[in-house]
Amino acid sequence: MAENVMVASNAMEKIVALCKRRGFIYPGSEIYGGIGGFWDYGPLGVELKNSIKREWWKSMVYQRDDVVGTDAAIIMNPEVWKASGHVEAFTDPLIECKKCHIRFREDSIEKVRQKILEKISKGSRIQNISLSKKETVLAITTTGKCPNCGGNEWTKPKTFNLLMEVFLGVTEPKQKAYLRGEITQGAFVNFKNVVSSSRVKIPFGIAQIGKAFRNEITPGNFTYRSREFEQMELEFFIKPSDKEGNKWFDYWKDQRMQWYLSLGMKKENLRFRKHEDNERAHYAKSAEDIEYNAPFGSPRGEAGWSEFEGIHHRGEWDLSRHKLAYKDEEVGEEFTPWVIETSGGVDRSALFFLIDSYYEDDKRVVLKLHPKLAPIKVAVFPLLANKLPLVKLAKDIYHNLKEQNIGMVAFDDRGNIGKRYYSQDEIGTPFCVTVDFQSLEDKTVTVRDRDSMKQERAKIKDLGLLITQKLL
Ligand code: ATP
């Protein structure tokens, strides 16, 4: 069977439909008409996200001896955001239609405009230029007309702050605070506490996973650009020297890329992209993104390649802004450490793991997720639903596997066995166990592999160990 390579234009539609139908991701507050930029994870989506976070924590904290974890509060003293530079600099340039007030990011419009002009200069007719839906909208915008109302008057580019404001207390005047725009600052404000309460010594890192919020102007591309999302970040503190900085920057770039590859992401769909000088965040000495070749355009107007993790050399920016230093007790030296950061998005990773693992041929749709990420690890079926001894034995096996701590186990006795396999393939379940008449006689079952579709016979008493080994 030939692999059917998805056409970029409908790839996203298929993924979005699968996510909704099978319970990975739903639009937020859907019964009230939804709310732009917010998404809810269903029973399978939450398992996928939890698996990603668990694997990240394992590799960044448990398997190392130079990283500890923290979990800072989402709302912090607003002074934190002034010191970090976010109140001042966490902005996007926007233009607004004067008639209907719809807003677009000015930087992305400019990039798309340039791309179109370049193609036209090479002889393409505008109708023949293949662009994603968002880019087409932006292209219309660059012709002067608002795609929303047809108006043709625009404001000059203005900058808008992406931090979400909240108001604390019940009596006036209420205290203004912010929902954190990145989880990063939690590691810096706790730097002193971590150094004095644990036995870390430079070089060391603080790892965190948690929610962040941004008033994104144009949320879109499914969960890719949301207003509420989760980040997984490491802030790694080092001695302040270019040699150390370059060494650790390269080290963490490599580690992070290897992590995605080790969980099965296809190498050809991943690349590093170095930030241009005018693009780097206000704090970054140098920065590179890990990008995925997505079936939608990036904000820079370049089809496909889209950031989902940033490796940043933040220098001494953060600790010096928070007026924090480190004392090396052994040599009696005090200095402001430099920071190398790895900042990944849980939601963008989940989306790209889903896209990357999607496979279809003329018979079935399969999510070839790494078994460690698969929401359901194993499904158990009785061959026939109306043969009580088969159902009883299958139920016993199902309950037994559930107790073995391998994660989610499913039981299914609906429809014919082929349909049950395909239903599990579509959600990425790596193994299916079938109880048949032979099982009643010799206490063996078939174990079917999702990718090869091969079946092997295994002893029921060995099942737990067998599945555990396959999940390693
Ligand atoms: P972009 O340029 O796409 O807006 P960014 O450079 O602002 O992203 P960072 O501030 O470096 O992103 O955040 C680190 C990671 O957090 C990103 O690589 C991404 O995975 C995730 N992230 C950032 N903004 C969003 C968002 N609006 N929705 C989902 N994930 C996000």
Side-chain angles (χ1 to χ4, degrees):
M1 267 173 292
E3 185 154 345
N4 186 353
V5 180
M6 282 195 296
V7 185
S9 64
N10 71 359
M12 278 311 285
E13 282 162 34
K14 288 182 178 182
I15 298 282
V16 174
L18 172 66
C19 282
K20 172 95 192 294
R21 184 161 37 84
R22 298 304 306 267
F24 280 93
I25 304 171
Y26 317 120
S29 321
E30 195 183 13
I31 59 166
Y32 289 99
I35 172 166
F38 296 88
W39 297 91
D40 294 344
Y41 286 78
L44 298 184
V46 74
E47 291 299 327
L48 173 62
K49 254 202 338 172
N50 283 345
S51 303
I52 292 171
K53 291 189 275 183
R54 192 172 46 244
E55 290 306 317
W56 186 89
W57 198 264
K58 253 197 247 166
S59 90
M60 300 300 263
V61 183
Y62 294 162
Q63 289 169 355
R64 306 187 61 95
D65 50 20
D66 54 0
V67 176
V68 292
T70 59
D71 183 15
I74 286 176
I75 295 178
M76 308 171 101
N77 187 315
E79 292 302 317
V80 170
W81 301 106
K82 284 192 196 148
S84 70
H86 282 82
V87 171
E88 206 181 309
F90 199 41
T91 54
D92 268 346
L94 286 190
I95 59 165
E96 188 174 302
C97 167
K98 283 191 179 165
K99 199 165 156 207
C100 72
H101 303 290
I102 193 168
R103 290 171 183 164
F104 290 97
R105 276 173 73 151
E106 214 255 340
D107 55 350
S108 47
I109 288 176
E110 188 47 33
K111 291 276 160 47
V112 175
R113 199 174 73 87
Q114 274 169 18
K115 184 173 146 188
I116 293 168
L117 290 178
E118 195 183 310
K119 291 205 173 172
I120 291 173
S121 73
K122 286 185 190 150
S124 297
R125 283 160 57 83
I126 187 113
Q127 302 91 306
N128 298 340
I129 297 173
S130 142
L131 296 166
S132 73
K133 205 167 137 203
K134 186 176 161 207
E135 287 174 335
T136 311
V137 168
L138 293 174
I140 297 165
T141 313
T142 57
T143 65
K145 291 239 163 76
C146 171
N148 193 40
C149 72
N152 59 1
E153 272 196 86
W154 297 92
T155 60
K156 292 233 158 349
K158 276 192 269 183
T159 49
F160 286 79
N161 197 291
L162 299 188
L163 282 178
M164 268 190 208
E165 294 175 358
V166 283
F167 294 89
L168 309 179
V170 286
T171 53
E172 298 295 342
K174 292 180 186 164
Q175 189 194 348
K176 184 165 109 174
Y178 302 99
L179 295 180
R180 62 184 173 191
E182 58 174 30
I183 64 170
T184 325
Q185 296 305 317
F188 302 133
V189 298
N190 285 308
F191 175 77
K192 212 167 139 218
N193 283 335
V194 170
V195 170
S196 65
S197 63
S198 62
R199 293 165 62 189
V200 291
K201 283 207 175 72
I202 274 178
F204 77 91
I206 296 182
Q208 286 194 109
I209 298 178
K211 292 263 186 175
F213 303 81
R214 291 183 192 174
N215 248 332
E216 295 283 359
I217 297 133
T218 46
N221 286 329
F222 199 23
T223 55
Y224 182 80
R225 188 168 301 285
S226 306
R227 290 183 167 134
E228 172 179 340
F229 54 94
E230 238 174 324
Q231 294 183 308
M232 37 193 189
E233 289 196 346
L234 172 76
E235 307 304 324
F236 198 75
F237 303 95
I238 57 170
K239 283 197 166 165
S241 87
D242 283 329
K243 193 166 157 242
E244 284 287 285
N246 296 340
K247 181 181 91 184
W248 285 108
F249 185 73
D250 289 345
Y251 171 84
W252 282 112
K253 262 179 62 185
D254 183 56
Q255 289 286 306
R256 295 306 304 138
M257 182 59 97
Q258 288 309 322
W259 186 77
Y260 290 108
L261 293 172
S262 74
L263 289 171
M265 249 191 216
K266 295 185 193 87
K267 202 169 180 183
E268 65 270 24
N269 287 335
L270 292 168
R271 75 169 190 193
F272 282 112
R273 191 187 65 86
K274 201 172 171 162
H275 282 207
E276 309 286 336
D277 285 348
N278 61 358
E279 178 197 355
R280 275 204 304 274
H282 56 276
Y283 50 75
K285 256 172 130 60
S286 52
E288 290 198 32
D289 290 337
I290 302 182
E291 295 189 329
Y292 184 82
N293 193 6
F296 48 77
S298 78
R300 290 180 311 286
E302 214 179 330
W305 295 104
S306 306
E307 166 194 347
F308 70 119
E309 171 145 354
I311 323 293
H312 306 130
H313 184 337
R314 300 176 72 113
E316 65 161 23
W317 167 266
D318 304 279
L319 292 186
S320 68
R321 291 284 289 200
H322 293 301
K323 300 188 174 53
L324 292 163
Y326 174 84
K327 185 152 190 206
D328 187 334
E329 300 291 352
E330 274 161 31
V331 287
E333 183 195 356
E334 189 165 296
F335 57 88
T336 306
W338 285 4
V339 174
I340 306 296
E341 169 187 75
T342 72
S343 174
V346 180
D347 308 78
R348 287 187 187 177
S349 293
L351 178 61
F352 291 153
F353 274 121
L354 284 170
I355 293 172
D356 202 67
S357 65
Y358 186 96
Y359 163 92
E360 67 178 27
D361 58 32
D362 44 1
K363 290 227 173 63
R364 59 181 194 147
V365 169
V366 192
L367 287 184
K368 293 191 171 183
L369 286 167
H370 192 290
K372 285 180 180 167
L373 300 184
I376 293 175
K377 305 300 181 197
V378 51
V380 184
F381 313 142
L383 183 64
L384 298 170
N386 57 0
K387 295 284 178 234
L388 265 182
L390 294 183
V391 176
K392 187 179 173 308
L393 182 55
K395 277 258 156 95
D396 287 347
I397 293 171
Y398 162 73
H399 288 299
N400 187 276
L401 285 173
K402 272 173 101 70
E403 280 165 21
Q404 313 244 352
N405 240 342
I406 51 176
M408 286 279 278
V409 183
F411 179 88
D412 193 1
D413 61 2
R414 297 160 307 165
N416 69 41
I417 202 82
K419 282 203 180 127
R420 289 183 228 159
Y421 283 147
Y422 293 150
S423 167
Q424 293 298 329
D425 288 345
E426 199 188 37
I427 57 172
T429 307
F431 311 108
C432 292
V433 168
T434 300
V435 175
D436 53 20
F437 291 104
Q438 190 182 331
S439 312
L440 299 175
E441 282 162 25
D442 65 3
K443 300 278 175 272
T444 65
V445 285
T446 62
V447 179
R448 179 219 187 232
D449 179 273
R450 174 196 69 198
D451 299 339
S452 67
M453 295 196 284
K454 291 217 171 81
Q455 303 189 12
E456 55 176 307
R457 207 87 212 161
K459 289 188 180 141
I460 294 173
K461 69 174 175 50
D462 297 340
L463 265 184
L465 190 63
L466 186 82
I467 304 281
T468 312
Q469 277 167 351
K470 285 181 187 282
L471 291 174
L472 283 180

